[in-house]
Amino acid sequence: MAAKYGVENPVPPWKTSLDGLCDALDHAACDADIPSFKERRDEEDVLSATVYSSLPYPESQLVSLAHSLVARGVIDDAELEQRLATIRARLEA
């Protein structure tokens, strides 16, 4: 896809934030049902190979993480939707 659109750096700018979020989750110490590193990666692998197999990497990683966090009740659909709307508004401003 990067070659198709003439993108020289195929890693999207949000990938760094995603990696940071994953690192923070790996070290989280709270009462929420935060998956361990192994659980998160195992879930990501399964979801990326099945439900989100049509998405390229790293988009599949991002969507798989969101899926897992919603399924565990760490964030709900409404809150995720609101946060995405806030980010979209900021990007379009």
Side-chain angles (χ1 to χ4, degrees), residues 33-68:
D33 185 17
I34 304 292
S36 68
F37 171 79
K38 183 176 179 348
E39 291 170 329
R40 184 177 54 76
R41 289 302 311 269
D42 289 347
E43 288 176 12
E44 178 187 318
D45 290 346
V46 169
L47 290 167
S48 292
T50 56
V51 179
Y52 303 114
S53 62
S54 64
L55 292 177
Y57 179 83
E59 285 80 357
S60 60
Q61 180 187 15
L62 175 65
V63 176
S64 295
L65 177 61
H67 181 120
S68 293

Side-chain angles (χ1 to χ4, degrees), residues 80-93:
L80 181 58
E81 187 175 332
Q82 174 56 45
R83 289 181 184 212
L84 288 171
T86 301
I87 292 167
R88 184 172 291 112
R90 211 171 43 222
L91 290 172
E92 292 174 352

